[in-house]
């Protein structure tokens, strides 16, 4: 048996269509807006934490070099730090390396000397110099002329370091801020709220 | 009968799947980013710091063993693998995060003047990195730039240090060593230097009385020539060496007389500035001097003599060195002992007296003598004959009694001027008369009632047997 089908045309009325389009438009607009907001928000948070990781990296680099350092000086604007560190590893061109090239890349045996301020342990006749500085959006670490970019961000990372000399030692205090990309009227708290602080002491007796 | 099927049913399913796909992609992206950030902040940074803590803990363990070489020599490096001058620690694990450390200590240098050994400690600290290794590191920084992997060298599958530099970092024995779990290892090197005992003219852990009202304590530096009085002449080229006749007292009990060209400190005393003290006064300086034990690194003793009860003159068979002197073991030292140099060579002699010390000692030029005695010392000033006048050439060491309640004394009576040093942290020192004295004393209590002229030789700052160690250098191997 065959069912009888209706031949009457079926469709939405104009008012139904308009209502459906209106609702769809609202839903689509809301989805689009929230997606964009979500994407912006995610991007901002990702950027925030990415830059925060770079803050930690700068602090860790600085602390490592200060701990093994002999002298630390900071510039007047607190944005350039110069650290003198022992020449622990024999480099090509060093006197030991010239005498025996096989020693390149090996740890150096220290020599001792007595100075008016007590015993001094020296790794080689010279020391290395490590400089931390800002170049544009990047934080640079330069060791004996070799430049390494240790942090780079469009978030205006600003490290500031002071060094405080004590009788035999010295310590540095570093604070690093950045400007998050999501803003709220340019309030001061936007930058200050991102501050990471660090203090590091020389492990060696201060030489300068 | 056949039901009517709307033609739009398939679209709904596709739309739903697409929506799920897009949301999943967003979620995966978020999760991926979060995991990497989380790994860096909670695990990699933490492990990187903890591995340094572990290495420094290893350095502390090694430093404690180095200190034992002078304070408890029989137990130094017990439980370590000892091979000649090198000592390797067992693996120490500690902390709730499974930190591990090992240290290699080697005696790498002897001070040519004192013979005291210096130690180098190379410590390795390892911290596990939690999380799966495939999440990697946060290197997102800029085109062509690496971020964290330049600083935090994580061994995800193999030990990069051993593979590139060898286990000792000297390029020898490079090999691939698998690590069971991701880990970070940091290495530090510390140098332990001997602390010598004569940092002040008089140092006593107990009470102090002295000296006479007309006495004076000043200083000079024998490296600049013989002593002369310069403490009142700022224009003198050696004025800066003349006001280091310092006194350190470890209790509040201090009766200080005479003129002191130097600093003075007590532990809770009530000393006040006066015209009789040129330096600083600090009444808040506590300190201790550990008991002195006979060094265990002496060579075999000479066969003769084995005691001196009459007049004896000895010339060592060889000049020897400060680190390995010619060694005599005496059961008694009560006569007259003359010690000659080997030709014109600087001659180093060590004597251990297992009894009281009452002898007259004559130390000829170029001779450097250390006398260790187990009992008491009772002599006159003239019995301490040090012909060069350099206090460092005649050093007395009183071995602390095994019983901490036992008394030990050093009595020096007039007449006679002398030049010598005394390290006797367990002894009561009594100095009578008005000698002209060059040297330094470290003792338990001090009593001196004479108008002594006491000259501390600043070159003593680096003289004498090691009584402790301090870390003088720290460097990290950042490879």
């Amino acid at each position: 048996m065959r069912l009888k089908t209706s031949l009457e045309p079926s469709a939405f009325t104009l008012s139904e269509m308009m209502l459906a389009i209106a609702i769809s438009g609202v839903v689509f607009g809301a989805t689009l807006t929230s997606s964009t907001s979500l994407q912006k928000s995610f991007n901002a948070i990702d950027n925030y934490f990415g830059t925060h990781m770079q803050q930690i990296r700068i602090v860790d680099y600085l602390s490592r070099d200060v701990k093994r350092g002999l002298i630390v000086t900071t510039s007047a604007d607190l944005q350039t730090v110069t650290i003198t560190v022992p020449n622990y590893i024999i480099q090509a061109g060093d006197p030991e390396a010239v005498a025996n090239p096989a020693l390149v890349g090996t740890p150096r045996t220290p020599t001792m000397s007595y100075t008016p301020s007590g015993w001094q342990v020296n790794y080689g006749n010279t020391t290395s110099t490590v400089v931390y500085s800002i170049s544009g959006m990047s934080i640079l670490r330069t060791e004996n002329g070799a430049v390494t970019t240790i942090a780079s961000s469009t978030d205006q990372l600003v490290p500031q370091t002071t060094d405080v000399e004590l009788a035999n030692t010295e310590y540095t205090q570093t604070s690093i801020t950045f400007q998050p990309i999501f803003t709220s009227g340019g309030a001061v708290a936007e930058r200050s709220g991102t501050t990471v602080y660090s203090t590091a002491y020389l492990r060696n007796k201060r030489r300068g | 009968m056949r039901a009517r099927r709307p033609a739009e049913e398939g679209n709904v399913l596709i739309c739903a799947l697409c929506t799920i796909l897009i949301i999943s992609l967003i979620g995966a992206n978020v999760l991926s980013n979060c995991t990497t950030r989380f790994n860096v902040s909670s695990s990699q940074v933490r492990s990187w710091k903890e591995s340094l803590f572990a290495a420094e803990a290893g350095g502390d363990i090694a430093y404690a063993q180095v200190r034992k070489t002078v304070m408890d020599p029989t137990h130094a490096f017990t439980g370590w693998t000892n091979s000649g001058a090198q000592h390797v620690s067992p693996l120490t694990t500690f902390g709730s995060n499974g930190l591990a450390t090992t240290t290699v200590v080697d005696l790498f240098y002897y001070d040519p003047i004192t013979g005291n050994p210096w130690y180098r400690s190379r410590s390795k600290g390892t911290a596990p990195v939690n999380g799966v290794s495939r999440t990697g590191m946060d290197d997102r920084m800029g085109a062509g730039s690496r971020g964290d992997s330049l600083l935090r060298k994580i061994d995800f599958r193999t030990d990069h240090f051993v593979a590139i530099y060898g286990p000792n970092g000297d390029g020898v024995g490079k090999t691939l060593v698998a690590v069971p779990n991701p880990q970070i290892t940091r290495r530090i090197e510390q140098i332990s230097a001997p602390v010598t005992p004569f940092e002040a003219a008089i140092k006593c852990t107990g009470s102090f009385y002295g000296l006479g009202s007309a006495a004076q304590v000043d200083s000079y530096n024998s490296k600049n020539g013989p002593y002369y009085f310069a403490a009142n002449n700022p224009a003198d080229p050696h004025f800066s060496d003349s006001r280091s006749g310092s006194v350190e007292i470890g209790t509040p009990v201090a009766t200080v007389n005479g003129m002191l060209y130097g600093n003075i400190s007590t532990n809770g005393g009530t000393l006040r500035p006066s015209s009789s003290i040129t330096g600083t006064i600090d009444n808040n300086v506590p300190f201790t001097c550990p008991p002195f034990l006979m060094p265990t690194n002496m060579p075999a003793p000479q066969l003769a003599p084995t005691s001196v009860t009459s007049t004896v003159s000895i010339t060592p068979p060889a000049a020897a060195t400060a680190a390995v002197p010619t060694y005599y073991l005496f059961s008694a030292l009560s006569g007259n002992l003359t010690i000659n140099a080997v030709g014109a060579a600087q001659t180093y002699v060590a004597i251990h007296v297992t009894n009281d010390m009452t002898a007259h000692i004559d130390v000829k030029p170029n001779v450097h003598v250390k006398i260790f005695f187990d009992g008491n010392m009772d002599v006159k000033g003239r019995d301490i004959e040090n012909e060069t006048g350099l206090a460092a050439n005649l050093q007395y060491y009183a071995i602390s009694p095994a019983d901490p309640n036992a008394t030990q004394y050093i009595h020096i009576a007039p007449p006679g001027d002398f030049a010598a040093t005394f390290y006797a942290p367990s002894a009561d020192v009594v100095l009578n008369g008005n000698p002209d004295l060059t040297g330094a004393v470290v003792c338990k209590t001090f009593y001196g009632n004479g108008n002594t002229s006491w000259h501390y030789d600043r070159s003593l700052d680096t003289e004498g047997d090691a009584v402790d160690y301090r870390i003088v250098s720290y460097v990290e191997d950042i490879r």
Side-chain angles (χ1 to χ4, degrees):
Chain A
M1 185 177 122
R2 193 170 173 181
L3 289 176
K4 182 183 173 186
T5 55
S6 172
L7 294 175
E8 288 179 20
S10 62
F12 293 111
T13 62
L14 180 61
S15 57
E16 285 175 334
M17 277 295 293
M18 288 182 70
L19 186 62
I21 289 170
I23 291 170
S24 299
V26 169
V27 169
F28 184 71
T31 306
L32 199 64
T33 309
S34 58
S35 297
T36 308
S37 297
L38 273 172
Q39 182 61 28
K40 278 185 178 176
S41 187
F42 169 70
N43 185 46
I45 291 169
D46 188 54
N47 212 288
Y48 189 100
F49 283 110
T51 311
H52 181 58
M53 288 297 108
Q54 302 205 57
Q55 284 180 301
I56 295 172
R57 190 185 306 137
I58 296 167
V59 161
D60 285 348
Y61 260 113
L62 255 172
S63 297
R64 186 189 67 176
D65 286 330
V66 169
K67 281 176 185 171
R68 67 191 180 114
L70 304 169
I71 306 168
V72 180
T73 52
T74 49
S75 62
D77 64 0
L78 308 181
Q79 296 194 341
T80 302
V81 185
T82 305
I83 308 168
T84 303
V85 296
N87 256 337
Y88 181 57
I89 302 298
I90 297 172
Q91 308 288 340
D94 287 350
E96 299 95 327
V98 172
N100 181 4
L103 293 176
V104 172
T106 62
R108 185 174 264 122
T109 296
T111 57
M112 274 61 68
S113 62
Y114 192 75
T115 67
S117 61
W119 285 105
Q120 191 167 289
V121 176
N122 300 306
Y123 287 88
N125 298 325
T126 58
T127 52
S128 291
T129 303
V130 178
V131 180
Y132 287 89
S133 57
I134 300 176
S135 174
M137 297 292 184
S138 299
I139 313 298
L140 307 181
R141 177 183 183 274
T142 309
E143 181 169 3
N144 292 337
V147 181
T148 307
T149 302
I150 62 169
S152 184
S153 170
T154 54
D155 288 348
Q156 303 170 49
L157 267 171
V158 179
Q160 291 195 316
T161 303
T162 55
D163 70 292
V164 180
E165 295 182 353
L166 304 175
N168 288 319
T169 186
E170 185 173 10
Y171 66 90
T172 59
Q173 289 181 311
T174 302
S175 66
I176 305 173
T177 61
F178 65 92
Q179 185 74 42
I181 58 175
F182 54 87
T183 57
S184 176
V188 176
E190 288 168 8
R191 175 174 281 278
S192 61
T194 64
T195 309
V196 168
Y197 295 97
S198 166
T199 300
Y201 277 80
L202 294 191
R203 295 284 204 264
N204 294 300
K205 190 172 183 179
R206 180 168 64 83
R207 293 193 188 177
Chain B
M1 188 175 125
R2 224 170 124 186
R4 191 171 151 208
R5 290 164 44 190
E8 301 87 347
E9 271 182 0
N11 280 346
V12 173
L13 181 63
I14 290 170
C15 285
L17 287 174
C18 285
T19 306
I20 290 170
L21 179 68
I22 290 167
I23 291 172
S24 298
L25 284 175
I26 292 171
N29 188 29
V30 169
L31 203 60
S32 169
N33 277 287
C34 289
T35 307
T36 307
R37 302 280 194 230
F38 173 77
N39 257 13
V40 174
S41 61
S42 77
S43 187
Q44 295 173 1
V45 170
R46 186 205 57 173
S47 298
W48 194 73
K49 291 180 187 300
E50 284 186 337
S51 58
L52 183 65
F53 301 158
E56 292 184 345
D60 287 347
I61 293 170
Y63 176 54
Q65 296 299 321
V66 169
R67 295 185 78 198
K68 279 187 186 176
T69 62
V70 292
M71 297 182 183
D72 187 12
T74 53
H75 295 106
F77 297 109
T78 301
W80 290 42
T81 304
N82 303 310
S83 172
Q86 190 178 75
H87 314 276
V88 181
S89 78
L91 179 72
T92 303
T93 55
F94 57 98
S96 56
N97 291 331
L99 309 185
T101 181
T102 57
T103 302
V104 178
V105 177
D106 65 306
L107 191 166
F108 76 105
Y109 175 72
Y110 281 105
D111 185 322
I113 297 172
T114 64
N116 290 324
W118 290 55
Y119 292 91
R120 171 173 50 196
S121 308
R122 287 177 169 168
S123 302
K124 185 174 82 168
T126 302
V129 179
N130 296 333
V132 291
S133 56
R134 66 173 173 271
T135 53
M137 301 185 69
D138 190 6
D139 257 355
R140 292 168 292 181
M141 196 167 64
S145 299
R146 288 163 63 198
D148 266 9
S149 61
L150 278 180
L151 176 67
R152 295 181 243 280
K153 298 183 176 68
I154 301 177
D155 297 327
F156 284 110
R157 290 189 173 79
T158 58
D159 188 325
H160 83 281
F161 191 88
V162 176
I164 301 172
Y165 310 110
N168 298 320
D170 54 6
V172 178
K174 292 186 277 190
T175 182
L176 279 181
V177 178
V179 294
N181 296 299
Q183 64 180 36
I184 297 180
T185 301
R186 293 176 75 176
R187 291 165 170 80
I188 61 167
E189 177 172 311
Q190 293 171 307
I191 305 295
S192 298
V195 175
T196 51
F198 308 118
E199 60 185 9
I202 304 170
K203 183 173 182 176
C204 62
T205 55
S207 62
F208 176 89
Y209 180 94
L211 297 159
S213 58
Q216 73 171 33
V217 183
D218 66 352
S219 63
Y220 78 116
N221 192 333
S222 61
K223 289 177 180 168
N224 299 328
Y227 167 81
Y228 65 92
F229 182 72
N232 273 348
N233 182 11
D236 190 282
H238 298 136
F239 176 77
S240 60
D241 286 325
S242 68
R243 292 193 168 197
S244 295
S246 299
V247 175
E248 298 174 5
I249 303 163
T251 67
V253 187
T255 305
V256 182
N257 301 314
M259 184 69 201
L260 188 66
Y261 293 99
N263 305 325
I264 187 163
S265 66
T266 69
N267 181 15
T270 55
L271 296 180
R272 294 286 174 266
S274 79
S275 58
S276 299
I277 300 172
T278 63
T280 59
I281 298 171
D282 191 337
N283 286 306
N284 189 26
V285 183
F287 65 87
T288 57
C289 288
F292 185 74
L293 305 178
M294 182 65 200
T296 55
N297 57 352
M298 289 292 166
Q302 297 295 304
L303 297 178
T306 56
S307 70
V308 174
T309 55
S310 59
T311 300
V312 174
S313 179
I314 57 174
T315 303
T321 63
V324 188
T326 303
Y327 178 49
Y328 295 90
L329 181 60
F330 293 163
S331 59
L333 183 52
S334 57
N336 295 303
L337 177 64
T338 300
I339 307 168
N340 302 299
V342 177
Q346 299 296 315
T347 303
Y348 296 87
V349 176
I351 298 170
H352 181 193
V353 185
T354 57
N355 214 315
D356 291 345
M357 230 307 299
T358 57
H360 170 270
I361 306 286
D362 181 3
V363 178
K364 296 294 185 185
N366 297 329
V367 178
H368 309 264
V369 183
K370 292 178 181 174
I371 299 176
F372 304 91
F373 57 93
D374 290 345
N376 301 308
M377 178 174 177
D378 195 346
V379 296
K380 296 187 183 305
R382 68 187 175 198
D383 292 329
I384 303 168
E385 191 174 352
N386 182 359
E387 296 193 11
T388 56
L390 298 174
N393 285 359
L394 178 51
Q395 301 177 17
Y396 291 95
Y397 292 88
I399 309 294
S400 296
D403 178 3
N405 296 317
T407 58
Q408 185 181 43
Y409 64 82
I410 295 176
H411 289 173
I412 303 175
D417 303 333
F418 59 93
T421 63
F422 301 85
Y423 188 72
S426 302
D428 302 313
V429 170
V430 176
L431 176 67
N432 291 321
N434 307 322
D436 188 278
L437 188 164
T438 302
V441 167
V442 179
C443 58
K444 187 165 80 175
T445 67
F446 182 87
Y447 178 90
N449 62 2
N451 293 324
T452 309
S453 291
W454 192 308
H455 319 301
Y456 170 70
D457 182 355
R458 292 196 72 190
S459 72
L460 291 174
D461 198 24
T462 55
E463 285 285 353
D465 256 30
V467 294
D468 201 350
Y469 276 86
R470 71 165 60 100
I471 294 173
V472 295
S473 171
Y474 172 102
V475 65
E476 182 180 353
D477 189 345
I478 64 170
R479 295 178 296 173

